[in-house]
Amino acid sequence: MKLTGAEIIWECLQKEGVDVVFGYPGGAILPTYDAMTKYPKIHHVLVRHEQGATHMADGYARASGKVGVAIATSGPGATNMVTGIATAMMDSSPIVCITGQVGSKAIGTDAFQETDVTGVTLPITKHNYLVTKPGDIARAIREAFYIAKSGRPGPVLVDITKDAQQMTAEFDWEAAAPRLPGYRPSYHAPASEFARAAELINSAKRPLILAGQGILKSGTTAEVLKLAKSAGIPITTTLLGIGAIPASSEFNLGMMGMHGEAWVNQAIQQADLLIALGMRFDDRVTGNLKTYALNAKKIHVDIDPTEINKNVPVDVALIGDLREVLELIQPQVKKAEHAEWWATINASRGDAAVRDIQSLPDSGHLYAAHVINDLWRLTQKRDTIVVTDVGQHQMWEAQYFRHEKPRSLITSGGLGTMGFALPAAIGAKFACPDKDVWVVVGDGGFQMTSCELATCEQEGIKVNVAIINNSFLGMVRQWQEFFYDKRYAATPMTGPDFVKLAEAYRLKGLRCNKRSDVKSTVAQTLAAKETVVIDFVVEKEDTVFPMVPAGADLDKMIRRPKQDVMLESGSDKDWEMPSSPLPNVFAEAKAEATVLNGRGKAAKSAKKPARKAAKPARR
Amino acid sequence: MAKHTLIAYVEDVPGVLNRIASLFRRRNFNIDSLTVGRTEQPGVSRLTVVVEATEAGARIVEANLYKLVNVLRVDDLTHKPSLFRELGLVKVKVTAQTRSQVLELTEVFRARVVDVDEATLVIEVTGTPEKIGKFEMVMRPYGIVEIVRTGAVAMARGHELMSAAPPLVPTAPVADHHHDSGLSMSV
Ligand SMILES: Cc1cc2nc3c(=O)[nH]c(=O)nc-3n(C[C@H](O)[C@H](O)[C@H](O)COP(=O)(O)OP(=O)(O)OC[C@H]3O[C@@H](n4cnc5c(N)ncnc54)[C@H](O)[C@@H]3O)c2cc1C
Ligand SMILES: Cc1ncc(C[n+]2csc(CCOP(=O)(O)OP(=O)(O)O)c2C)c(N)n1
Ligand SMILES: [Mg+2]
């Protein structure tokens, strides 16, 4: 069958089972858009910015486990995709990006809207293609899908010249089967390694499972829980591993790392065996590598050999798909309880009282953590996907929204891309139209991609946007608070009237600035048919606790003051600090703790002298 | 840190060198030299990469090379009985007084003169990278006008097909691959 290159693109997408693509037209991709009208089975979502298209494809992929597809024109269209591609690469999200390229004869001439897109995206794609002949399109697209979803998933870009889209070629799907002699999506660890791993597990006294996104990718929630239950091993998750283990499971201790639970990080430092399942020891997870889990032997299960010994040297590496590895290791694992180890962990878990924000009196202020925790309480009976942006609200979501199901949290972890949430949520909604999709986003990040509200309106889809509006680039402000002597350079931020903004897009806007209104606001939002934007006006200078400063030892966390800062009235209780000698940053933070405890409007005047007093301590 | 010599067989497709170079820059690996050439297998090119790395670092370089879709196989010849060769062309200043000394040294190094004029000699020297470095050193006092080195190429010794190029066999999508050297990365 002879078809144009453009038709071949759509034929291939159809054969790959694609039902929706996210894109934006332009000159070099026009032939493909023109041919689109012949393929009504594939729904095209017109985005407002190509970055949005890539995040939507990413959100679609993360929510469904299928490959997401984004389309853009050459030059600026393609370069606008860069952030979204890098985001997908860091978090191993399977997306295929199709970009138009100038005519093959014009390549290299600095033709209008010519950019070397395969060059630009080379280090941020799993693989990419430049296709200049219509006869090569089918193979490139088939290989792109196969590479994107197999092994450790990731983004693949196919750049197709305009003439290749226009000219015709024989379309033969079978003949275009992937031919990838050098591609190794998976490995199988030798039996001897399994024996060594089992021996370590069976002889451990204080084992701990580090659960990562690999569990979601391989769909092994049940298998990991089985391992934990049979050998009495507590589990902690990474940010991207949230949802892989139900929050309500007694085995789930919570999140590890920079903003993880204090008892989890302590447990990591005390453990004698870490079993890392599909996680990659990110620096936000390990803190100072020199002091990371020195008491523990390490077993690392990962599908990607380059992750082994990259950050943390391991004792046993089981390279392969997590499902296969767990199936092979389970029969070799002996029953155990580890009662003593659990007792140790549970003792430090006593902190939980401090962490439970629900036990704090309502001071009249609205706090982000309250909003998020309430949101969880009010939606927990519904099937909900939360998509978060990047910043303080992202961490509070991770701490206070209890995720029970895999793929119920979608967030940009590795790249930390502000502006990710709204477009990714649109993608997630297309993947799971029957679920509620909530966006939890900061006032800063929302303003980066808020244009996609128009996409929601045009598509008639409903996502629920909770803006945690603190009038600050809050996470950066927090770093300035701790490490830059509270010099708030370029972090106070204004924004539009978000309610009116929503209305301008013919959507619903709501504002909430009282704790007592959260419930009715959420109810109104769920009742509305259209996309709703809620402006949650929260406390401006609130802080995410606990926190391991970047590069500090994992168990030396800046802790939430005993009397929570959320109280309006000041407290003279000191911060809970690690007992070991403090690096300077802690001394400074400590000196400021008293002031922080009295934060809020009334405390403003007290800040200045305290800051001065803190300075000598620093030098 | 030591020098590691890796052989990578890659599909001979556009952009493949770019991918390798980009990988080394991206992962902050130190390339000492990199050479490329055709092999006995059609469509397969052979790269010799010399990197400055620890033993663990070399394993990471190897794993990263394998991760590139166009890389067919990687061999680390560092600890295998192998031949390492490089070619250098050295243009040296000579005078009536020094010419015979330079020729004598050329003889000692089993190098050969490939061009002569009244003021210079061009000498071709082959051997291990160390030997070429030595030759450069002894020529320096006479005045080196220009020098060019190819970078090292390497081949395993013996009849076992240690470092022969793999054929370009297309693999079925679902088939998994065994890869012997990278499998046991435990320490
Ligand atoms: C503001 C901010 C703060 C953050 N704070 C924290 C924090 O406190 N704690 C925290 O944990 N993170 C935090 N992060 C996120 C952090 O940067 C990383 O993104 C995260 O830790 C990575 O989690 P991961 O290793 O589970 O997932 P990934 O980075 O996705 O790694 C998954 C691993 O699993 C492997 N894998 C994939 N599929 C399979 C399979 N089928 N079988 C086996 N292996 C497989 C992959 O090869 C990869 O190595 C923060 C991010 C931001 C933006
Ligand atoms: C695209 C991008 N630019 C800059 C940053 C650095 N950054 C990380 S968090 C943050 C502040 C986010 O502010 P906001 O969206 O209001 O969320 P908040 O922290 O206040 O909850 C910034 C600027 C980033 N992660 N991404
Ligand atoms: Mg903010």
Side-chain angles (χ1 to χ4, degrees):
Chain A
M1 189 177 25
K2 263 215 176 328
L3 296 176
T4 66
E7 289 163 342
I8 293 175
I9 293 175
W10 293 108
E11 289 285 343
C12 289
L13 293 179
Q14 227 167 37
K15 285 239 159 51
E16 291 289 351
V18 173
D19 51 6
V20 58
V21 298
F22 307 92
Y24 206 91
I29 194 75
L30 253 186
T32 298
Y33 271 89
D34 189 47
M36 183 172 86
T37 49
K38 293 181 213 154
Y39 296 87
K41 271 191 247 159
I42 300 180
H43 179 64
H44 178 271
V45 176
L46 177 63
V47 301
R48 294 300 180 273
H49 185 294
E50 291 86 348
Q51 179 187 351
T54 47
H55 290 328
M56 286 178 208
D58 189 343
Y60 176 91
R62 294 195 207 202
S64 66
K66 293 195 284 186
V67 178
V69 180
I71 301 181
T73 192
S74 67
T79 54
N80 270 351
M81 286 181 142
V82 165
T83 303
I85 296 173
T87 305
M89 183 70 176
M90 276 296 232
D91 292 347
S92 304
S93 205
I95 67 172
V96 167
C97 297
I98 296 175
T99 49
Q101 181 56 279
V102 300
S104 57
K105 298 221 169 51
I107 286 182
T109 65
D110 297 322
F112 178 64
Q113 298 197 325
E114 181 191 357
T115 301
D116 172 13
V117 175
T118 38
V120 168
T121 59
L122 193 145
I124 52 166
T125 47
K126 188 171 169 188
H127 196 57
N128 63 21
Y129 292 86
L130 170 62
V131 184
T132 55
K133 294 196 223 62
D136 294 344
I137 292 176
R139 162 93 59 75
I141 292 183
R142 276 194 80 167
E143 290 186 355
F145 272 81
Y146 172 55
I147 292 172
K149 67 188 171 201
S150 55
R152 179 178 183 170
V156 182
L157 179 135
V158 187
D159 195 26
I160 307 174
T161 59
K162 191 168 182 179
D163 51 338
Q165 298 167 48
Q166 287 162 329
M167 290 189 300
T168 56
E170 193 58 33
F171 173 61
D172 184 344
W173 176 253
E174 295 311 321
R179 253 189 254 164
L180 297 162
Y183 181 55
R184 294 161 200 81
S186 194
Y187 297 89
H188 310 281
S192 56
E193 300 286 299
F194 281 97
R196 289 180 56 203
E199 197 184 297
L200 285 182
I201 295 173
N202 292 335
S203 60
K205 296 271 173 296
R206 299 185 304 281
L208 186 59
I209 290 175
L210 309 181
Q213 202 195 181
I215 298 173
L216 298 174
K217 300 274 181 210
S218 56
T220 46
T221 297
E223 288 76 5
V224 175
L225 276 171
K226 187 173 169 198
L227 174 68
K229 280 179 189 156
S230 62
I233 309 175
I235 307 175
T236 157
T237 71
T238 62
L239 175 68
L240 296 185
I242 287 178
I245 307 297
S248 59
S249 162
E250 54 185 326
F251 286 87
N252 190 348
L253 304 182
M255 185 171 80
M256 65 183 99
M258 179 178 273
H259 293 293
E261 307 292 359
W263 61 84
V264 170
N265 289 343
Q266 248 136 38
I268 290 173
Q269 297 298 69
Q270 291 165 5
D272 67 355
L273 176 67
L274 295 181
I275 307 163
L277 305 179
M279 58 82 73
R280 60 180 176 87
F281 293 104
D282 184 272
D283 50 71
R284 299 235 150 168
V285 159
T286 60
N288 183 1
L289 283 170
K290 288 204 181 77
T291 57
Y292 180 71
L294 297 178
N295 300 315
K297 298 245 185 238
K298 285 132 199 142
I299 299 172
H300 195 176
V301 184
D302 205 295
I303 201 164
D304 179 356
T306 68
E307 289 299 339
I308 308 298
N309 296 330
K310 185 180 79 177
N311 296 337
V312 174
V314 296
D315 300 272
V316 177
L318 298 174
I319 303 171
D321 180 49
L322 191 51
R323 173 169 297 281
E324 187 186 307
V325 170
L326 288 170
E327 269 163 19
L328 289 169
I329 197 95
Q330 184 67 47
Q332 304 184 40
V333 171
K334 294 205 185 91
K335 258 198 111 46
E337 304 238 316
H338 300 301
E340 227 172 278
W341 175 222
W342 275 99
T344 315
I345 292 173
N346 287 334
S348 54
R349 233 168 157 179
D351 284 349
V354 187
R355 274 277 273 103
D356 186 4
I357 51 168
Q358 292 304 308
S359 62
L360 292 168
D362 177 2
S363 63
H365 270 244
L366 189 60
Y367 291 102
H370 281 150
V371 172
I372 286 160
N373 200 247
D374 288 354
L375 187 61
W376 165 67
R377 280 166 202 272
L378 295 166
T379 59
Q380 56 176 313
K381 298 227 162 59
R382 305 171 68 102
D383 208 350
T384 302
I385 296 176
V386 183
V387 185
T388 59
D389 212 70
V390 172
Q392 290 186 312
H393 63 278
Q394 180 189 27
M395 293 300 109
W396 282 314
E397 200 281 345
Q399 295 176 337
Y400 294 106
F401 199 106
R402 299 173 62 76
H403 289 272
E404 293 296 318
K405 286 190 189 160
R407 299 186 188 276
S408 65
L409 170 62
I410 294 174
T411 195
S412 165
L415 201 66
T417 308
M418 282 172 71
F420 172 80
L422 177 60
I426 294 172
K429 186 69 186 181
F430 275 99
C432 306
D434 299 332
K435 294 188 184 175
D436 289 350
V437 176
W438 279 85
V439 176
V440 173
V441 60
D443 48 319
F446 180 69
Q447 290 185 65
M448 284 196 168
T449 51
S450 60
C451 55
E452 302 301 345
L453 286 177
T455 310
C456 297
E457 196 272 338
Q458 185 169 359
E459 290 294 328
I461 57 160
K462 175 179 174 58
V463 296
N464 308 310
V465 183
I467 303 176
I468 306 298
N469 183 0
N470 53 9
S471 303
F472 266 108
L473 295 173
M475 185 54 94
V476 180
R477 188 205 58 74
Q478 175 167 344
W479 283 51
Q480 290 170 331
E481 173 186 331
F482 284 161
F483 315 121
Y484 293 89
D485 210 8
K486 285 197 178 175
R487 287 182 296 276
Y488 293 158
T491 43
M493 183 178 235
T494 64
D497 180 328
F498 291 119
V499 175
K500 284 193 182 144
L501 183 76
E503 286 164 2
Y505 282 110
R506 292 181 292 278
L507 300 170
K508 197 180 180 72
L510 297 171
R511 180 163 293 117
C512 175
N513 41 27
K514 283 208 298 290
R515 178 90 190 269
S516 51
D517 289 347
V518 174
K519 191 172 175 184
S520 61
T521 308
V522 170
Q524 262 179 283
T525 304
L526 290 173
K529 288 204 167 54
E530 71 273 54
T531 288
V532 179
V533 177
I534 315 170
D535 183 11
F536 282 110
V537 184
V538 299
E539 167 61 33
K540 289 186 174 158
E541 298 183 37
D542 196 357
T543 311
V544 182
F545 291 109
M547 177 179 189
V548 184
D553 300 352
L554 192 59
D555 50 355
K556 297 198 179 125
M557 310 186 82
I558 303 177
R559 300 282 292 278
R560 185 180 296 277
K562 266 184 187 151
Q563 180 105 27
D564 199 278
V565 288
M566 289 175 183
L567 290 176
E568 184 69 81
S569 57
S571 157
D572 50 12
K573 283 195 187 162
D574 211 342
W575 283 29
E576 243 183 77
M577 281 291 172
S579 49
S580 41
L582 298 170
N584 282 342
V585 289
F586 292 103
E588 182 193 357
K590 189 166 177 163
E592 287 184 2
T594 348
V595 187
L596 281 171
N597 272 345
R599 74 162 43 179
K601 308 227 153 52
K604 281 255 158 75
S605 59
K607 271 178 190 166
K608 255 188 188 153
R611 190 153 75 212
K612 273 188 191 137
K615 264 185 186 159
R618 251 173 86 228
R619 288 190 183 126
Chain B
M1 296 277 246
K3 283 195 171 50
H4 283 259
T5 307
L6 303 175
I7 307 291
Y9 296 97
V10 299
E11 276 181 273
D12 184 11
V13 292
V16 65
L17 252 190
N18 198 3
R19 287 179 200 281
I20 305 244
S22 166
L23 168 73
F24 277 79
R25 184 188 48 76
R26 154 93 178 85
R27 295 284 173 196
N28 222 351
F29 302 144
N30 254 329
I31 305 191
D32 218 70
S33 72
L34 193 160
T35 61
V36 207
R38 264 182 298 192
T39 64
E40 68 276 18
Q41 296 287 353
V44 178
S45 298
R46 173 170 174 145
L47 270 86
T48 310
V49 198
V50 181
V51 287
E52 195 71 50
T54 59
E55 200 57 45
R59 295 288 71 74
I60 291 175
V61 175
E62 190 180 342
N64 272 286
L65 279 170
Y66 263 115
K67 203 168 153 180
L68 294 178
V69 169
N70 300 123
V71 171
L72 302 167
R73 209 182 70 214
V74 184
D75 293 325
D76 186 347
L77 295 188
T78 313
H79 307 297
K80 294 177 184 164
S82 317
L83 300 162
F84 301 94
R85 287 295 178 272
E86 183 172 357
L87 184 144
L89 291 175
V90 188
K91 190 181 283 177
V92 198
K93 273 190 217 151
V94 285
T95 61
Q97 288 78 36
T98 60
R99 186 181 299 263
S100 62
Q101 294 173 18
V102 170
L103 286 173
E104 212 167 283
L105 285 166
T106 303
E107 195 62 25
V108 171
F109 275 84
R110 296 196 206 302
R112 42 187 211 120
V113 176
V114 288
D115 190 52
V116 186
D117 70 6
E118 64 282 6
T120 58
L121 290 176
V122 179
I123 302 156
E124 178 193 304
V125 53
T126 54
T128 60
E130 293 71 36
K131 174 179 161 186
I132 295 173
K134 269 262 173 62
F135 186 69
E136 184 187 341
M137 199 184 76
V138 301
M139 285 298 138
R140 206 172 291 140
Y142 301 99
I144 293 178
V145 181
E146 204 179 315
I147 184 163
V148 59
R149 299 175 62 162
T150 57
V153 292
M155 183 180 279
R157 289 175 186 270
H159 66 277
E160 280 173 58
L161 286 177
M162 281 259 279
S163 57
L168 256 191
V169 208
T171 43
V174 270
D176 289 339
H177 299 251
H178 289 267
H179 145 218
D180 22 62
S181 51
L183 269 180
S184 180
M185 296 184 73
S186 320
V187 291

